[in-house]
């Protein structure tokens, strides 16, 4: 199975900050990577697919990049509604696997 | 409008078999490229993908849980059923179903999720 490792596991940031989360795959996955946002008690929400394509309706402050084994999710200007846990997921090969999550908290 | 809703028992005993149903609307599993996946999340932990069933009845399973899982569909009812045998307390989790669709050259995407259903395994 492909292991997905996110860093950091948690971070504290202020409103308006630029935030970057990293996801590393244990082997190459081309660009078959998605990012999800999850708020407490809610289902995950799809943000990005194919490493850098924004899902319909997702604001452009979210962006993704990377290919192969190293990927990033960037939030350009953190807003109160962005405080959540973020997960990466590879869908290059079965079984699909998720990262352990990165919790973005208010500083 | 795409919606999915999971249903099933909130409490199961160890060794029992869990049966969960995903009832969906806004798409059809008879449409080429449409699929439904199951994902679970133990309390306070990360997401774990479990299984996927495709419009053409292809099925894919988690490596570690493959021997315990069965996924099936009833296209006429817009339902997907997941069964998991020999339940254990470590299987306590919120179970989600999610629409999965083929996105051209971008593979298969989990795009719409149900609200999830919490299943507790305890005697």
């Amino acid at each position: 199975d492909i292991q997905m490792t996110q860093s950091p596991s948690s971070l504290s940031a202020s409103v308006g900050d630029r935030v970057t989360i990293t996801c590393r795959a244990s082997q190459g996955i081309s660009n078959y990577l998605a990012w999800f946002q999850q708020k407490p008690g809610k289902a995950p929400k799809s943000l990005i697919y194919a490493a850098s394509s924004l899902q319909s309706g997702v604001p452009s402050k979210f962006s993704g990049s990377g290919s192969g084994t190293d990927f990033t999710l960037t939030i350009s200007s953190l807003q109160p509604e962005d405080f959540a846990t973020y997960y990466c997921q590879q869908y290059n090969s079965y079984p699909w696997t998720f990262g352990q999550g990165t919790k973005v908290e208010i500083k | 409008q795409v919606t999915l809703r999971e249903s099933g028992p909130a409490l199961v005993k160890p060794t029992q078999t869990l049966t969960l149903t995903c009832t969906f609307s806004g798409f059809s599993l008879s449409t080429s490229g449409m699929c439904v996946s199951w994902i679970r999340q133990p309390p306070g932990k990360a997401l774990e993908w479990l299984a996927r069933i495709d419009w053409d009845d292809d099925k894919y399973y988690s490596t570690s849980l493959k021997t315990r899982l069965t996924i099936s569909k009833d296209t006429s009812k817009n339902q997907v059923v997941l069964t998991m045998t020999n339940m254990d307390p470590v299987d306590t989790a919120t179970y989600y179903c999610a629409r999965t669709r083929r996105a051209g050259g971008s593979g298969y995407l989990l795009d719409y999720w149900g609200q999830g259903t919490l299943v507790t395994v305890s005697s």
Side-chain angles (χ1 to χ4, degrees):
Chain A
D1 299 3
I2 297 175
Q3 289 194 346
M4 306 301 292
T5 303
Q6 290 181 232
S7 59
S9 296
S10 65
L11 64 90
S12 295
S14 301
V15 172
D17 283 354
R18 180 183 180 90
V19 167
T20 297
I21 298 168
T22 296
C23 178
R24 175 164 289 176
S26 61
Q27 63 190 75
I29 59 170
S30 184
N31 69 335
Y32 293 107
L33 184 102
W35 289 97
F36 297 89
Q37 176 194 65
Q38 187 179 34
K39 296 181 179 179
K42 300 294 186 182
K45 173 187 174 184
S46 176
L47 298 176
I48 286 171
Y49 65 96
S52 60
S53 297
L54 223 54
Q55 278 283 10
S56 176
V58 173
S60 59
K61 62 181 171 180
F62 292 98
S63 63
S65 66
S67 184
T69 60
D70 295 314
F71 302 86
T72 59
L73 171 71
T74 299
I75 309 171
S76 61
S77 176
L78 205 62
Q79 297 303 305
E81 62 269 20
D82 303 327
F83 291 94
T85 300
Y86 293 84
Y87 293 94
C88 62
Q89 177 241 337
Q90 69 81 19
Y91 52 99
N92 178 74
S93 62
Y94 298 100
W96 291 353
T97 46
F98 291 86
Q100 83 278 15
T102 295
K103 187 174 185 179
V104 177
E105 299 175 299
I106 302 173
K107 182 182 284 186
Chain B
Q1 180 189 2
V2 174
T3 65
L4 304 99
R5 185 183 76 251
E6 305 86 354
S7 58
L11 179 66
V12 297
K13 290 180 167 48
T15 76
Q16 287 186 336
T17 294
L18 171 69
T19 299
L20 295 173
T21 301
C22 176
T23 303
F24 57 88
S25 63
F27 68 99
S28 173
L29 260 183
S30 61
T31 300
S32 178
M34 286 297 173
C35 325
V36 169
S37 297
W38 285 92
I39 304 100
R40 71 178 179 179
Q41 185 173 38
K45 296 188 177 181
L47 300 161
E48 179 184 17
W49 177 81
L50 299 177
R52 187 185 106 187
I53 189 165
D54 294 358
W55 78 99
D56 58 1
D57 213 36
D58 277 351
K59 300 163 188 172
Y60 304 87
Y61 293 101
S62 159
T63 304
S64 60
L65 295 169
K66 184 173 185 176
T67 60
R68 299 172 54 204
L69 294 174
T70 303
I71 192 169
S72 61
K73 63 182 174 70
D74 186 330
T75 304
S76 65
K77 292 184 179 180
N78 280 352
Q79 290 182 333
V80 170
V81 174
L82 181 76
T83 62
M84 181 180 292
T85 61
N86 195 24
M87 293 292 285
D88 183 272
V90 300
D91 297 313
T92 294
T94 296
Y95 287 75
Y96 296 98
C97 62
R99 189 182 82 160
T100 310
R101 67 173 177 88
R102 186 172 55 199
S106 299
Y108 286 82
L109 316 177
L110 299 161
D111 58 0
Y112 290 91
W113 295 57
Q115 63 187 14
T117 186
L118 176 61
V119 178
T120 300
V121 185
S122 175
S123 54

